[in-house]
C-alpha cells in the first residue's frame, strides 16, 4: 500500500455523510469520477487499481486540487493477493472505510464459444468474486459500527440475459442480485447498499475491451460524472438500485416486468443494434 500524497486532515462537509471512501478502479472512467466528486467534498480517499504510476498521478492531482488525504493500493483484483490487500484495508479500524465503491470491471463481446475462457473468467473475477469478497470484508465492521455505505457498480446488462455479452450480463446480474439482497439484510442497521446500473458511459471501458461502439449513437452515452453522482445520491438516500438516465430506467423496468422470453428477445435486438 502506498501513500504518495501528504495527508492533510479532512473535515466532513455537512452534505457528505462519509469521511473515508475506498474506490476500486479509481484511475479511469466512472471510478475516477467518483474519486473527483468525493475529493471535492473533502472526503479522505483510498484508491485501488493495478497501474501504480497512474494511481500516484491521480492521488497527487486530487490532493493538490482539493487538499484531501489520498492513499493508494496497487492491486490486481482478479487475484487472491490483490483482494487480500484491499480486504485488510477494509477491515482496518484506524480511519475506517465508511464508503466502499466496488467499481473495477472489464468486459468482452462476441459469441461465448469463441471467446478466450480466461477473458470470461476475468469478467467474473472482477464483477462477481471481487464484489463478493470486498462486500464481505467491508460489511462486518460497518454493521458493527452501525454505519456505512456500499455502492456496487453493476450495469443495465444485469437486468436480463445478454447474448454476445453473456458472461458480462451474468456477472452483473450477480452483483445486482447480491446488492439487493444485502440491502435488505442490513436494512435498519445503519448500513446502506446500492447497485448502480449504468448503460453506455463514456470511459475507457469499450476501448480496453476491444468492443466496437461506432454504431452507438452519441446521444446514448452518459458522462461518467453524471453516473457517479447518481450512485452517490442513491446510496445516500438508501435506494437499493439506481439506473442513471430516464430512457434506461424505462428499459430496466421493462426487463423486470417482461416475461423472460420477451426480455431475451429485446436484449437480442439491442445486441444486434450495437
Ligand atoms: N462504461 C460503460 O459503458 C459501463 C456501463 C455499465 C457498467 N459499467 C461498469 O462500470 C465499472 C467501471 O467501468 P469504466 O467504464 O469506468 O471502466 P474503465 O474506464 O475501463 O476503468 C476501469 C478501471 O478499473 C481498473 N481495473 C481494471 N482491471 C482491474 C483489475 N484487474 N484490478 C484492479 N483494477 C482494475 C482500471 O485501472 P488499471 O487498468 O490500472 O487496473 C481503471 O481504473 C465497471 O464495473 C463496468 O462494468 C461500465
Amino acid at each position: 500500500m502506498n501513500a504518495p500524497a501528504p495527508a492533510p486532515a479532512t473535515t466532513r462537509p455537512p452534505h457528505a455523510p462519509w469521511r473515508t471512501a475506498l474506490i476500486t478502479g479509481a484511475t479511469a472512467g466512472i471510478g475516477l469520477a467518483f474519486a473527483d466528486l468525493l475529493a471535492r467534498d473533502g472526503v479522505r480517499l483510498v484508491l485501488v487499481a493495478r497501474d501504480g504510476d497512474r494511481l500516484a498521478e491521480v492521488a497527487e492531482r486530487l490532493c493538490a486540487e482539493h487538499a484531501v488525504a489520498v492513499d493508494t493500493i496497487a492491486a490486481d483484483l482478479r487475484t487472491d493477493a490483490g483482494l487480500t490487500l484491499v480486504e485488510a484495508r477494509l477491515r482496518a479500524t484506524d480511519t475506517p472505510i465508511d464508503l466502499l465503491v466496488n467499481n473495477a470491471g472489464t468486459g468482452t463481446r462476441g459469441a461465448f464459444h469463441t471467446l478466450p475462457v480466461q477473458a470470461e473468467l476475468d469478467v467474473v473475477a472482477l464483477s462477481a468474486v471481487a464484489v463478493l469478497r470486498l462486500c464481505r470484508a467491508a460489511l462486518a465492521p460497518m454493521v458493527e459500527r452501525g454505519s456505512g455505505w456500499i455502492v456496487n457498480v453493476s450495469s443495465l446488462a444485469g437486468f436480463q440475459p445478454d447474448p454476445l455479452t453473456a458472461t458480462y450480463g451474468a456477472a452483473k446480474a450477480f452483483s445486482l442480485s447480491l446488492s439487493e439482497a444485502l440491502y435488505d439484510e442490513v436494512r435498519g442497521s445503519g448500513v446502506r447498499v446500492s447497485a448502480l446500473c449504468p448503460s453506455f458511459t463514456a470511459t475507457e471501458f469499450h476501448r480496453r475491451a476491444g468492443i466496437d461502439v461506432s454504431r452507438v449513437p452519441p446521444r446514448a452515452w452518459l458522462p461518467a460524472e453524471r453516473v457517479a453522482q447518481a450512485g452517490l445520491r442513491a446510496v445516500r438516500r438508501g435506494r437499493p438500485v439506481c439506473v442513471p438516465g430516464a430512457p434506461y430506467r424505462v428499459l430496466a423496468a421493462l426487463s423486470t416486468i417482461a416475461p423472460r422470453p420477451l426480455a431475451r428477445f429485446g436484449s437480442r435486438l439491442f445486441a444486434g443494434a450495437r
Side-chain angles (χ1 to χ4, degrees):
M1 196 185 306
N2 300 315
T10 56
T11 51
R12 181 172 51 145
H15 54 286
W18 30 73
R19 286 191 176 86
T20 308
L22 186 148
I23 308 163
T24 70
T27 52
I30 298 169
L32 181 59
F34 270 106
D36 268 306
L37 288 170
L38 291 165
R40 241 179 264 168
D41 271 353
V43 177
R44 175 188 286 266
L45 295 175
V46 181
L47 309 180
V48 182
R50 287 167 302 179
D51 183 338
D53 292 341
R54 200 169 175 189
L55 272 172
E57 272 170 37
V58 171
E60 271 166 36
R61 178 180 66 75
L62 293 176
C63 187
E65 287 177 6
H66 305 288
V68 289
V70 186
D71 291 345
T72 60
I73 304 176
D76 185 340
L77 298 177
R78 295 169 303 180
T79 66
D80 182 55
L83 287 168
T84 302
L85 268 182
V86 181
E87 284 169 334
R89 180 61 188 89
L90 289 168
R91 292 192 178 112
T93 47
D94 182 31
T95 57
I97 301 297
D98 46 22
L99 170 65
L100 164 65
V101 181
N102 268 318
N103 164 78
T106 183
T108 57
R109 179 176 159 84
F112 177 75
H113 68 280
T114 67
L115 293 169
V117 72
Q118 189 55 51
E120 301 302 277
L121 289 170
D122 288 349
V123 169
V124 175
L126 285 178
S127 286
V129 178
V131 174
L132 180 158
R133 281 187 59 173
L134 301 187
C135 277
R136 176 67 184 83
L139 259 185
M142 286 180 177
V143 170
E144 205 176 302
R145 288 196 302 272
S147 150
W149 293 264
I150 296 179
V151 180
N152 291 327
V153 183
S154 177
S155 170
L156 189 64
F159 282 88
Q160 65 288 305
D162 291 285
L164 300 183
T165 51
T167 302
Y168 183 75
K172 291 303 189 184
F174 175 92
S175 88
L176 173 58
S177 176
L178 182 76
S179 306
E180 286 193 83
L182 297 183
Y183 162 87
D184 206 66
E185 280 187 20
V186 299
R187 209 199 311 218
S189 70
V191 181
R192 291 169 170 184
V193 181
S194 296
L196 173 61
C197 303
S199 184
F200 296 113
T201 308
T203 68
E204 299 175 9
F205 181 88
H206 297 92
R207 183 181 53 73
R208 281 172 184 252
I211 298 173
D212 177 12
V213 285
S214 55
R215 292 168 67 194
V216 178
R219 67 178 180 284
W221 293 92
L222 296 168
E225 181 172 313
R226 186 170 149 204
V227 169
Q229 249 160 3
L232 290 176
R233 202 165 41 240
V235 79
R236 201 170 50 227
R237 293 181 179 171
R239 304 254 160 85
V241 180
C242 168
V243 180
Y248 297 123
R249 275 194 289 285
V250 173
L251 282 179
L254 289 175
S255 290
T256 308
I257 58 172
R260 207 66 170 166
L262 194 60
R264 273 200 306 274
F265 176 71
S267 184
R268 208 159 45 235
L269 283 184
F270 195 61
R274 277 182 275 156

